[in-house]
Amino acid sequence: QPIVIADGHHRYESALMYQREQRRTCKAPGAQPFDFKMMLLVPTEEAGRSVLPPHRVLRGLPREWRTRLDDQLGRYVEIREMDDLASLQGFLERGTIPRFGAVLPDRLLGLKLRRSQRVQRLLDDEPAMWRSLEITAARAVLMRQVLGIGPDDYASKEHSLYPTSADDVRA
């Protein structure tokens, strides 16, 4: 069954990065200790559990971020102007192709990943099982390609905030 990594995703990603580094130097055959990750799986149906949306607020963006966004975004995603947060939320809840919301100082945008060779080439570097995840597409397409933000920057608390509600994002 699908697993939603709601908290601890940074630890999980760090474990995967460590695994990749170790695989480059370790020549021993078979599974190694770095191929395993400790996890706690909790049914989301359990009473009192909630999984909050993976909002990201990016700050400290490169000076040219808005120009890059305006010039490049339409090459990778279909863009829909939204009137308010409720309509953006409705947009995000429809469909299976990765969708994102962008809350800009002057606009609310609904973004739907294009099915194109250009997008596929960006996702080909990602593990096959991850390509359909919104966060994978957000990192590969929106952050790295469109905005020019590298993994070290968007993983840093200096550059990223993780508010728990759309209203906090807007604020």
Side-chain angles (χ1 to χ4, degrees):
Q1 295 186 21
I3 295 175
V4 176
I5 302 174
D7 189 22
H9 61 279
H10 295 292
R11 288 183 291 271
Y12 179 72
E13 290 176 18
S14 296
L16 292 176
M17 188 182 315
Y18 177 73
Q19 178 189 47
R20 285 191 296 270
E21 290 172 3
Q22 294 303 306
R23 281 186 178 167
R24 282 193 285 258
T25 59
C26 180
K27 304 301 181 200
Q32 300 298 315
F34 52 78
D35 288 318
F36 300 91
K37 288 114 190 101
M38 186 181 307
M39 301 175 104
L40 170 64
L41 301 178
V42 180
T44 56
E45 302 84 25
E46 217 173 270
R49 302 277 182 213
S50 64
V51 178
L52 300 172
H55 301 302
R56 303 272 190 292
V57 173
L58 301 176
R59 58 187 181 173
L61 295 172
R63 204 174 279 163
E64 70 282 356
W65 78 269
R66 187 59 188 256
T67 302
R68 288 180 66 116
L69 185 77
D70 292 341
D71 290 348
Q72 297 291 316
L73 192 60
R75 298 177 75 196
Y76 303 98
V77 298
E78 296 173 20
I79 303 168
R80 296 194 184 143
E81 294 277 345
M82 297 288 151
D83 295 324
D84 52 38
L85 288 176
S87 60
L88 179 56
Q89 185 63 39
F91 169 81
L92 294 173
E93 292 171 358
R94 292 190 302 271
T96 57
I97 294 174
R99 293 170 179 246
F100 317 96
V103 179
L104 304 172
D106 58 339
R107 298 164 75 190
L108 289 175
L109 303 176
L111 310 173
K112 181 174 138 185
L113 198 64
R114 290 187 185 278
R115 290 183 189 232
S116 70
Q117 288 181 347
R118 177 181 289 136
V119 169
Q120 192 56 48
R121 280 192 301 272
L122 294 175
L123 296 176
D124 280 344
D125 292 337
E126 304 295 334
M129 292 178 64
W130 293 10
R131 290 181 194 148
S132 64
L133 299 175
E134 280 94 352
I135 191 61
T136 300
R139 287 183 189 147
V141 176
L142 297 177
M143 293 185 203
R144 284 196 307 252
Q145 187 66 30
V146 174
L147 293 174
I149 302 170
D152 292 338
D153 291 330
Y154 62 70
S156 161
K157 289 184 180 180
E158 207 175 299
H159 296 284
S160 297
L161 300 173
Y162 301 93
T164 57
S165 76
D167 289 329
D168 289 343
V169 169
R170 182 68 184 239

